[in-house]
Amino acid sequence: MKRVYYLLFVSVFLLVGCGNSDQASNSLDEITSQPWSEIEEAANGTTVRLYMWGGDEGINQYLDEWAIPHLKEKYNITLERVPMDTAKILQKLQTEKKANKQEGTIDIIWINGENFKNAKENGLLAGSFTDKLPNFNKYYQTDDPAFTTDFGTPVEGMEAPWGKVQFVFHYDESKIQEPPTSFAELKEWIKSHPGKFTYPNATDFTGNAFLRHVLYSKADQPSDIYNEPLDEGAISQTANKMWGYLNSIEPDLWRSGEHYPNSLTELDKLYSQGEVWMTMGYNEARAESLIEQGVFPETTKSFVMEPGSIGNTHFLSIPFNSPNVQGALTAINYLLSPEAQLAKYKPNYWGENTPISLEKLPEEMRKKFKAVDRGDSVLSQQKLEESFLPESEAAYVEWVEKQWFNEVVQG
């Protein structure tokens, strides 16, 4: 959920479960039963630690340069951004859970997908809280399926929607006049331009998403995957086509496929240095801030391919042993506010899409959102909507990771 939205497909081993902490649940229930003004008052002057994947500079800048100063000014809250892969965050919480450590160091975690499923099933989250957030209930369509389920897992108020993203590919139009429009065309392009394309490995959030796009493309129709729970037998023919495709392009990948980038950051670096001519990622507007910073060439543009582009929602949640629940609630509520979402929507920082309901905003604020120019590298909203594909259930993420290693790396 990695820009994004990355947020967040970092591989997590299935955690051996413990139930929800009664102490944590009671504490959250007790706090959320208080008037909101008392929650904000208790948060005043406190420190809130947000643990999150830190591999995207645009996201980091949004927090460091906009969100942190504004939270300090408005609520006298010191927000500390602690970069850590989501898998390690959940491993830390699991260790603390087993040790019955009821006061930890994490107040908020950025999460979605498989990570949320595992955290929920293993009692690593504090409980339901979104019905207490004024901004969520005022400005969001609270019954939107994108908010009530997360990769097939019922949310039940245990995480608040922070943003939504759509997967796109990026290319340098000074080197590529017409990008491929399908995976068949991509295969031909790779063959004609050996060494100029690669993708992150399957343990990476972005790499795993790329592989799921290939899986969708090999199905009779993408809904055969995203509308169905994982059944390895039922998808065996589709999977075989997927592995065949990936093995066929491997010899012409960067370094002949002997090494796959370990992260999106590594792939972006290869692209910025001209070693490869394409990169990719969740967040249709992610290139804008990187172009502005001089990391990506000014001639960077984006594209999607048939059968479409996977999109999802990413969330903020509170762990079972947050030492500052009032501060976490206040910070999350502010990060969902129209002003915070507008700043995040602008391309000079994060530039990602917003889950807020524009029709619920005051007219003046709605005009501000509509006036935002997302940048020349961003596809039109119409193109994005036409190409949108839902995520499959979380089980596909771990399956893709495991099978990719067996079928491609060792195959």
Side-chain angles (χ1 to χ4, degrees), residues 13-86:
F13 294 121
L14 283 173
L15 305 169
V16 178
C18 306
N20 283 328
S21 165
D22 290 339
Q23 180 175 341
S25 298
N26 291 338
S27 174
L28 181 64
D29 291 344
E30 181 180 341
I31 290 169
T32 55
S33 68
Q34 300 170 0
W36 183 256
S37 60
E38 292 184 12
I39 293 175
E40 288 186 341
E41 184 178 350
N44 181 55
T46 64
T47 295
V48 174
R49 295 181 179 89
L50 167 58
Y51 277 60
M52 59 182 288
W53 172 76
D56 190 292
E57 286 308 309
I59 299 174
N60 296 343
Q61 287 180 351
Y62 165 71
L63 285 160
D64 297 345
E65 298 176 14
W66 195 94
I68 289 174
H70 281 77
L71 261 172
K72 185 67 174 179
E73 179 183 355
K74 193 171 181 69
Y75 296 103
N76 193 28
I77 288 175
T78 301
L79 180 67
E80 293 183 357
R81 177 180 63 83
V82 182
M84 183 181 290
D85 282 349
T86 314

Side-chain angles (χ1 to χ4, degrees), residues 107-241:
D107 296 304
I108 303 172
I109 52 177
W110 185 28
I111 196 167
N112 79 345
E114 182 191 26
N115 293 320
F116 172 70
K117 178 178 183 287
N118 288 333
K120 181 185 178 186
E121 289 179 349
N122 290 278
L124 305 183
L125 304 177
S128 180
F129 64 89
T130 56
D131 61 352
K132 189 65 179 181
L133 302 177
N135 285 329
F136 177 64
N137 289 284
K138 186 175 183 179
Y139 299 117
Y140 292 72
Q141 190 65 42
T142 58
D143 60 354
D144 188 329
F147 306 156
T148 58
T149 59
D150 183 354
F151 289 68
T153 302
V155 170
E156 298 179 322
M158 300 176 74
E159 54 180 5
W162 193 20
K164 65 179 183 179
V165 292
Q166 206 163 329
F167 192 98
V168 297
F169 294 88
H170 298 290
Y171 71 104
D172 185 345
E173 68 172 357
S174 71
K175 299 173 180 176
I176 303 172
Q177 292 184 340
E178 292 290 337
T181 63
S182 67
F183 279 93
E185 289 186 12
L186 176 64
K187 179 179 178 178
E188 292 305 312
W189 188 92
I190 292 169
K191 187 175 181 179
S192 301
H193 302 82
K196 296 304 180 183
F197 182 87
T198 191
Y199 58 92
N201 70 51
T203 65
D204 174 76
F205 171 70
T206 303
N208 200 293
F210 170 78
L211 294 169
R212 294 198 309 282
H213 278 87
V214 178
L215 181 66
Y216 279 24
S217 77
K218 297 305 176 184
D220 289 339
Q221 50 193 6
S223 58
D224 291 345
I225 305 299
Y226 66 71
N227 275 343
E228 301 295 334
L230 175 63
D231 182 334
E232 294 187 36
I235 66 166
S236 61
Q237 289 187 344
T238 302
N240 288 337
K241 293 177 184 177

Side-chain angles (χ1 to χ4, degrees), residues 274-292:
E275 289 199 48
V276 297
W277 291 358
M278 296 183 194
T279 184
M280 62 190 73
Y282 272 108
N283 183 5
E284 62 277 5
R286 64 182 292 267
E288 283 298 306
S289 62
L290 295 168
I291 293 169
E292 184 177 338

